[in-house]
Amino acid sequence: MEYSHFGYFLAVCIIVFGTVIGWHIRMLFIEKRLMKRLDYLRGRRGETDSDDG
Amino acid sequence: MRKPFHSKTSSRIMLAVISTMAIAGLFLVLEFTPSISGQAGDVMAQKIFYYHVPSAWTTGLAYFVVMIAGIQFLRTGDHKWDWVGLASAEIGTLFCALVLITGPIWGKAAWGQPWTWEPRLVTTLILFLIYVGYFMLRQFGGHYERAARNSAVLGILAFVDVPIVYVSLKFWSEETQAHPQAQMGGQSTTILWIFLFVLSTFALLSVHMIRYRIHLLSLRNELLTGNHGI
C-alpha cells in the first residue's frame, strides 16, 4: 500500500473530528451559561413572588 | 424546568451510537478500502473522499431542511420553524466549510494544486458565501421578525444552488473539470458499503447537532422572552 499521502489523510481526520468535537464543547459551554442565567432568573422570580405573597 | 440536552436518554443513546459508528468508520476506511479505479491520487489520498463526500451530502441535507423550515415558517409563522431553519443553516455551513477545507487537501495530493477554478468548486464556494450572507442578514437584518422572514426567503432561494453543485459536472464538458468522473454506483461493493456507512454516520451526526442547536435556541428564547416558569 502506498502511504506517501498519509499526512493528508491524517490532516483531514484531525480537521473533521476536531471541528465536530470542538463544536460540541462550545455548545456545552453555551448551554451551561444559558442554564445558569435561567436558574438565576427563576430564583429571582421566586423571591419576587414570595415577597408579593 | 428545562434539563440539559445530554441528560435526555435519547440524546445520550444517539451520541453513543454516533461515536461508535465514527470510530468503526475510521477503522473500516483505514483497513478495508481498496484503490478506486479511475481516480487520481494514491490510495491514502483517495481515503479523504470518505470524509469529503459525506460532508458535502450532509451540507445538502441540512440546506434542504433550511428550505423546508423556511417554507413552513412563512406558511405558519411558528418560530419553532425559524429555529429549525437557523440551526440547520449553521450545521450545513459548518459541513460546507469542511468540504471547502478537505477538498483542497485532496486536490493538493491528487492534482498537485489545492484549488482550480472549475465548476463544482466554484458553485460550492458560492453556496458557502450565500449562507455567509444568510448569517449577516440574521445579524444585521433589523427587527427579529423581519430578519427571520427575510432569512427564510433567502434559505428557500439559496437551496437552488445545491442541485447546481450536484449537476455542475454535467453542465460543462469534461475538459473543464478537475473533479473525478467516477460514479460510486460503478465501484466495488466494499467501497460502496463503507461509503454508505460513513455517510449514515454523518447524517445521524448532523441530525444530532441540529437537535442540540434547536434546544439551545429554545433556551435562549426562554431567556429573552422571560418565559421561564418556576
Side-chain angles (χ1 to χ4, degrees), chain B:
Chain B
M1 186 86 146
R2 297 294 286 268
K3 283 182 178 176
F5 183 70
H6 288 103
S7 67
K8 293 178 198 162
T9 315
S10 62
S11 310
R12 281 186 183 175
I13 291 171
M14 198 155 171
L15 191 64
V17 168
I18 293 163
S19 307
T20 311
M21 283 178 79
I23 294 164
L26 182 63
F27 175 72
L28 290 172
V29 168
L30 272 172
E31 283 297 314
F32 297 106
T33 50
S35 180
I36 303 171
S37 58
Q39 277 205 18
D42 68 24
V43 71
M44 284 317 285
Q46 289 178 6
K47 287 179 196 292
I48 292 171
F49 261 78
Y50 292 92
Y51 290 95
H52 174 71
V53 180
S55 299
W57 284 32
T58 309
T59 305
L61 179 78
Y63 287 162
F64 178 71
V65 178
V66 177
M67 182 193 67
I68 298 295
I71 293 168
Q72 288 295 91
F73 177 66
L74 292 176
R75 212 170 57 85
T76 64
D78 187 347
H79 282 105
K80 281 179 186 160
W81 286 112
D82 181 47
W83 303 340
V84 173
L86 178 59
S88 305
E90 284 181 13
I91 305 309
T93 308
L94 184 83
F95 280 99
C96 193
L98 284 177
V99 173
L100 288 170
I101 294 167
T102 56
I105 295 173
W106 177 83
K108 179 76 180 145
W111 307 329
Q113 55 180 348
W115 187 270
T116 58
W117 293 97
E118 60 111 42
R120 186 165 273 183
L121 294 182
V122 175
T123 47
T124 310
L125 180 64
I126 290 170
L127 185 67
F128 179 76
L129 293 175
I130 289 171
Y131 276 90
V132 170
Y134 176 96
F135 295 114
M136 287 171 76
L137 186 62
R138 290 219 67 119
Q139 194 70 30
F140 308 112
H143 188 266
Y144 173 79
E145 283 291 333
R146 196 173 67 183
R149 251 196 331 271
N150 289 343
S151 56
V153 173
L154 181 61
I156 296 164
L157 295 176
F159 187 75
V160 173
D161 194 33
V162 175
I164 292 176
V165 173
Y166 184 72
V167 296
S168 59
L169 290 182
K170 295 180 177 72
F171 274 175
W172 287 273
S173 64
E174 279 191 29
E175 291 76 47
T176 59
Q177 319 268 352
H179 258 82
Q181 305 289 313
Q183 295 290 319
M184 283 310 292
Q187 301 301 326
S188 75
T189 47
T190 315
I191 292 170
L192 203 61
W193 280 112
I194 294 174
F195 172 75
L196 289 175
F197 183 80
V198 180
L199 184 64
S200 328
T201 312
F202 271 69
L204 279 177
L205 177 67
S206 67
V207 170
H208 177 77
M209 288 167 87
I210 290 170
R211 279 183 64 216
Y212 194 6
R213 197 69 189 104
I214 292 170
H215 171 78
L216 295 183
L217 288 170
S218 70
L219 276 184
R220 195 184 67 174
N221 180 65
E222 215 173 286
L223 198 64
L224 292 175
T225 56
N227 182 25
H228 34 75
I230 304 162

Side-chain angles (χ1 to χ4, degrees), chain A residues 1-2 4-6 8-9 12-13 15 19 23-24 27-28 31 34-35 37-38 41-42 45 49, chain B residues 1-2 4-5 30 42-44 47 91 98 105 108-109 208-209 212 215-216 219 222-223 228-229:
Chain A
M1 193 183 282
E2 181 64 62
S4 65
H5 288 129
F6 181 74
Y8 292 88
F9 178 71
V12 165
C13 288
I15 290 165
T19 303
W23 184 90
H24 272 90
M27 291 305 128
L28 277 173
E31 186 181 38
L34 288 172
M35 296 291 283
R37 280 188 199 170
L38 275 172
L41 287 171
R42 279 189 197 113
R45 198 169 134 179
D49 286 354
Chain B
M1 186 86 146
R2 297 294 286 268
F5 183 70
L30 272 172
D42 68 24
V43 71
M44 284 317 285
K47 287 179 196 292
I91 305 309
L98 284 177
I105 295 173
K108 179 76 180 145
H208 177 77
M209 288 167 87
Y212 194 6
H215 171 78
L216 295 183
L219 276 184
E222 215 173 286
L223 198 64
H228 34 75

